[in-house]
């Protein structure tokens, strides 16, 4: 790393600047060999078909381990901003700061990880301040698709940084306050050195739309339906939950919650005075006996998650909820890129049961994004007037497009970092001055492992090529003392070539390979295993046009 004896203000994204999700941002102040750091958000992203067996992915914090971290500030309660705390806090070991709703959910997360008694969690009021010398942080109220979202005004001896977090402009947010425009304008008047800003919807013209409009659309749609109604949405969107509950009650329906996250989020919301006007929720068991026309299920699983409530309903194995002919399912959520196949399968399965599906494609008013579109981004730049624009929270194409938009808005300097790029904000021109270790860690079998670790590579290989198990016994002279048993997993056969016959052929090939070994080679089990593996992989290539994993077990008798 470049060493400096003078004070510098730096920004370091370790998550969120190459993908939508998994936020981990660091701000450092001081000379290069003695910096003090604050971290903003510690989030997760989720696995897909390319990461078999891995559901949760977290940023790699290796560079920050052992650094002087003064605190971790959480902007809001979405999983891509707080979801990695249980996994990474033991490696960061710094006090946490969050507003009440977010703090409630963090406590649950820490308790689940067995960290509840070890972590100092400071609850900060809305609009409150945090002093972590040399950083002074002011929580700036914004609007987003969850309760109590915050931007951060970070004052340092070398200038002020506005970290927007996730945000949008919504004059009718349903739940919570409007974006604190006056504070942002005041910061702009005082001088914003740099703005680190959300890039998620940079390709979308116009504005994201209002939650108030969604409430009206849902009320109209649900009011005209007969039969059971299920609504899938993100549980963390408290305003959306409030609107769905309002629409249900306007239509004379009682609400039953389906899914652990729904119960967790509604409890957190009520702990800070939200959702208190709603009628008591029906239990799933009580809802079974409720009249169909007077019932609405509020469900997790709008992204097709395998174990979520909607998927279990679609598969017909939910213990209490049954939907069928004459019932309805409303998807009040966006389709996250990468989830298209899972959502399509879920909707097809519901349709097979006779359930009518409603999405924002055929009913555009039933969902709006929680992130700023281009007109909102332009407005934010007009309010804040930063000297440096740093786009974050998006894929590479989002970051690049946002940088061009900032230049159109006459921002003097723009830096578009990748994860691991250390950006000097002051003194002098903004620039990427270093690259530190970064990447992703996979939560695999309850353990944190490297992104391209051997276990996952083998799992991917086995998933696409299959597995061959070989076992036999050798006597003391290295002669075969048993027949060779070959078994296959994930390998095909047909009427002309039954799998059993193909495996018998492989057993003969393996026997030939063992008999060809002489002398000391027969004493080295690794040499034997490698000889069998080479032979069977080559034979498999000819039979199936693939090279499966070959595991050989040699017994000595």
């Amino acid at each position: 790393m470049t060493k400096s004896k003078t004070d510098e203000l730096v920004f370091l994204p370790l998550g969120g600047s190459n993908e939508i999700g998994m936020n981990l941002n660091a701000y450092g102040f001081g000379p290069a060999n003695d910096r003090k750091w604050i971290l903003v958000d510690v989030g997760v992203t989720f696995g897909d078909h390319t990461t078999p067996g891995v559901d949760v992915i977290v940023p790699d914090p290796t560079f920050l381990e052992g650094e002087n971290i003064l605190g971790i500030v959480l902007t809001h309660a979405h999983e891509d901003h707080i979801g990695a705390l249980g996994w990474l806090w033991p490696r960061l070991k710094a006090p946490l700061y969050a507003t009440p709703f977010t703090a409630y959910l963090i406590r649950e997360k820490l308790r689940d990880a067995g960290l509840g008694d070890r972590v100092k969690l400071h609850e900060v009021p809305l609009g409150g301040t945090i002093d972590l010398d040399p950083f002074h942080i002011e929580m700036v109220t914004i609007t987003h698709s969850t309760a109590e979202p915050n931007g951060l005004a970070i004052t340092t001896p070398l200038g002020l940084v506005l970290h927007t977090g996730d945000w949008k402009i919504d004059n009718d947010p349903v739940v919570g306050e409007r974006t604190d425009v006056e504070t942002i304008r005041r910061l702009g008047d005082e001088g914003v050195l740099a703005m680190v800003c959300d890039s998620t919807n940079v390709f979308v013209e116009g504005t994201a739309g209002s939650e108030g409009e969604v409430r009206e659309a849902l009320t109209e749609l649900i009011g005209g339906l007969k039969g059971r109604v299920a609504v899938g949405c993100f549980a963390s969107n408290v305003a959306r939950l409030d609107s769905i509950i309002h629409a249900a009650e306007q239509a004379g329906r009682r609400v039953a919650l389906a899914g652990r996250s729904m119960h967790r989020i509604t409890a957190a919301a009520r702990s800070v005075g939200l959702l208190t006007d709603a009628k008591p929720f029906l239990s799933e068991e009580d809802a079974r006996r409720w009249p169909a026309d007077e019932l609405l299920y509020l469900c997790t699983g709008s992204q097709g998650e395998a174990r979520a409530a909607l998927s279990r309903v679609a598969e017909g194995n939910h213990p209490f909820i049954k939907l069928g002919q004459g019932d309805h399912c409303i998807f009040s959520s966006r389709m996250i890129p990468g989830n298209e196949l899972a959502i399509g399968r879920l909707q097809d399965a519901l349709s097979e049961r006779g359930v009518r599906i409603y999405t924002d494609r055929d009913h555009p008013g039933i969902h709006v994004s929680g992130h700023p579109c281009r007109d909102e981004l332009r407005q934010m730049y007009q309010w804040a007037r930063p000297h440096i624009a740093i786009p974050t929270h998006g894929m590479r194409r989002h970051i690049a497009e946002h940088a061009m938009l900032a230049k159109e808005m006459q921002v003097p300097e723009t830096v578009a970092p990748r994860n691991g790029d250390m950006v000097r904000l002051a003194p002098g021109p903004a620039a990427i001055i270093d690259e530190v270790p970064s990447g992703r860690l996979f939560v695999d079998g309850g353990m944190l492992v490297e992104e391209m670790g051997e276990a996952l590579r083998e799992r991917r290989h086995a998933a696409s090529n299959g597995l061959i198990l070989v076992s036999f016994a050798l006597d003391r002279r290295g002669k075969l003392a048993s027949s060779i048993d070959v078994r296959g997993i994930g390998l095909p056969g047909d009427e002309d070539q039954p799998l059993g016959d193909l495996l018998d052929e492989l057993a003969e090939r393996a026997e030939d390979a063992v008999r060809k070994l002489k002398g000391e080679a027969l004493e080295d089990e690794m040499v034997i295993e490698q000889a069998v593996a080479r032979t069977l992989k080559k034979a498999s290539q000819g039979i199936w046009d693939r090279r499966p994993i070959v595991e050989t077990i040699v017994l000595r008798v």
Side-chain angles (χ1 to χ4, degrees):
M1 179 186 296
T2 303
K3 300 295 183 181
S4 170
K5 295 181 179 179
T6 60
D7 285 341
E8 289 180 322
L9 174 62
V10 299
F11 168 68
L12 174 62
L14 289 174
S17 283
N18 295 337
E19 58 188 308
I20 297 173
M22 200 181 72
N23 288 271
L24 174 57
N25 302 287
Y27 293 90
F29 183 86
N33 59 351
D34 189 29
R35 285 199 179 102
K36 295 179 179 179
W37 296 89
I38 58 169
L39 308 187
V40 178
D41 295 330
V42 184
V44 301
T45 190
F46 298 100
D48 55 26
H49 66 282
T50 67
T51 59
V54 173
D55 294 327
V56 175
I57 300 171
V58 304
D60 186 345
T62 299
F63 171 77
L64 294 170
E65 292 182 72
E67 293 291 313
N68 185 7
I69 303 173
L70 305 178
I72 303 172
V73 184
L74 293 315
T75 60
H76 65 283
H78 279 151
E79 285 294 298
D80 58 337
H81 293 258
I82 68 170
L85 283 171
W87 294 103
L88 297 186
W89 187 88
R91 300 172 69 163
L92 302 172
K93 292 189 173 71
L96 309 181
Y97 298 84
T99 51
F101 177 80
T102 304
Y104 181 102
L105 294 170
I106 290 172
R107 288 190 190 95
E108 284 198 344
K109 195 169 293 294
L110 295 175
R111 186 166 55 247
D112 290 345
L115 297 172
D117 296 332
R118 296 175 54 191
V119 182
K120 290 183 179 179
L121 173 56
H122 301 273
E123 202 168 287
V124 184
L126 295 176
T129 59
I130 306 165
D131 282 304
L132 297 171
D133 186 38
F135 301 95
H136 175 81
I137 304 162
E138 179 182 358
M139 302 292 242
V140 181
T141 298
I142 56 171
T143 306
H144 183 47
S145 52
T146 191
E148 298 183 0
N150 301 274
L152 305 178
I154 305 170
T155 300
T156 78
L158 292 180
L160 184 146
V161 178
L162 176 59
H163 185 105
T164 67
D166 292 356
W167 65 280
K168 63 184 285 188
I169 299 172
D170 189 345
N171 291 323
D172 187 9
V174 174
V175 166
E177 302 296 325
R178 299 178 183 179
T179 296
D180 188 350
V181 177
E182 293 307 312
T183 293
I184 298 172
R185 282 176 171 158
R186 171 178 59 80
L187 296 172
D189 291 342
E190 294 172 359
V192 173
L193 171 66
M195 184 166 72
V196 178
C197 188
D198 182 357
S199 308
T200 309
N201 280 344
V202 69
F203 289 106
V204 183
E205 289 291 349
T207 62
S210 172
E211 281 294 331
E213 296 168 356
V214 175
R215 171 171 288 206
E216 293 177 5
L218 287 170
T219 300
E220 180 180 356
L221 175 58
I222 292 170
L225 301 179
K226 299 295 183 183
R228 294 176 184 82
V229 175
V231 182
C233 69
F234 295 111
S236 57
N237 191 339
V238 178
R240 191 67 50 82
L241 303 188
D242 188 86
S243 291
I244 294 166
I245 293 166
H246 169 83
E249 293 181 354
Q250 288 291 107
R253 295 177 180 268
R254 291 286 297 278
V255 174
L257 304 179
R260 183 171 177 264
S261 293
M262 284 295 174
H263 291 276
R264 183 168 54 88
I265 295 294
T266 53
R270 285 180 162 172
S271 76
V272 296
L274 303 176
L275 303 183
T276 54
D277 294 335
K279 294 179 181 178
F281 300 121
L282 295 175
S283 70
E284 293 174 353
E285 188 169 3
D286 288 342
R288 287 194 301 178
R289 297 182 288 272
W290 210 259
D293 292 344
E294 300 175 18
L295 177 64
L296 182 141
Y297 291 108
L298 190 44
C299 302
T300 60
S302 64
Q303 299 303 299
E305 301 95 322
R307 293 183 293 275
L310 275 180
S311 288
R312 297 173 69 193
V313 172
E315 293 166 3
N317 59 21
H318 195 286
F320 303 116
I321 304 176
K322 308 296 178 187
L323 296 181
Q325 196 69 39
D327 296 332
H328 312 268
C329 186
I330 299 169
F331 285 77
S332 184
S333 59
R334 76 183 181 100
M335 189 179 291
I336 294 177
N339 292 345
E340 294 88 351
L341 289 177
I343 296 172
R345 285 194 294 267
L346 169 62
Q347 293 176 353
D348 284 345
L350 289 167
S351 295
E352 283 287 342
R353 295 184 174 276
V355 179
R356 184 173 178 184
I357 306 299
Y358 304 81
T359 72
D360 62 344
R361 291 184 177 181
D362 47 76
H363 288 74
I366 64 175
H367 175 69
V368 293
S369 175
H371 298 271
C373 298
R374 290 179 77 90
D375 283 355
E376 292 158 286
L377 288 166
R378 293 184 181 104
Q379 183 66 78
M380 179 63 80
Y381 279 104
Q382 290 171 357
W383 291 335
R385 305 185 300 284
H387 184 79
I388 306 166
I390 304 180
T392 189
H393 197 38
M395 306 296 286
R396 195 64 207 160
R397 64 184 183 276
H398 296 85
I399 305 295
E401 180 68 18
H402 189 160
M404 288 191 288
L405 177 64
K407 290 177 182 178
E408 291 175 12
M409 296 302 298
Q410 307 303 311
V411 177
E413 297 184 71
T414 301
V415 182
R418 292 174 171 82
N419 289 337
D421 286 346
M422 185 178 293
V423 181
R424 182 189 62 220
L425 302 178
I432 296 172
I433 59 171
D434 207 345
E435 181 180 355
V436 309
S438 64
R440 312 195 305 172
L441 299 175
F442 290 172
V443 180
D444 191 0
M447 295 177 279
L448 283 180
V449 300
E450 293 181 5
E451 179 174 2
M452 296 305 296
E454 183 178 355
L456 186 61
R457 285 201 303 271
E458 289 183 345
R459 202 177 305 143
R460 286 171 171 162
H461 189 116
S464 58
N465 292 279
L467 173 66
I468 291 174
L469 301 173
V470 184
S471 62
F472 53 89
L474 296 178
D475 64 19
R476 293 178 181 178
R477 297 173 298 170
K479 302 295 184 182
L480 281 167
S482 73
S483 61
I484 293 183
D485 183 35
V486 177
R487 303 190 182 188
I489 298 175
L491 297 170
D494 59 21
E495 290 183 2
D496 295 330
Q497 292 183 300
L499 179 60
D501 292 351
L502 296 173
L503 296 179
D504 288 343
E505 179 183 338
L506 293 183
E508 293 175 4
R509 301 282 189 95
E511 184 175 341
D512 290 342
V514 173
R515 293 188 186 282
K516 288 179 181 178
L517 297 174
K518 304 295 182 183
E520 293 182 358
L522 289 168
E523 298 176 6
D524 190 331
E525 292 183 8
M526 182 172 292
V527 171
I528 298 170
E529 291 171 5
Q530 289 174 346
V532 172
R534 283 196 302 269
T535 299
L536 296 196
K537 286 183 178 181
K538 183 177 180 180
S540 298
Q541 185 75 46
I543 296 170
W544 293 292
D545 193 26
R546 64 186 61 180
R547 296 173 68 84
I549 293 175
V550 178
E551 284 293 322
T552 303
I553 301 171
V554 181
L555 302 175
R556 296 287 183 174
V557 296

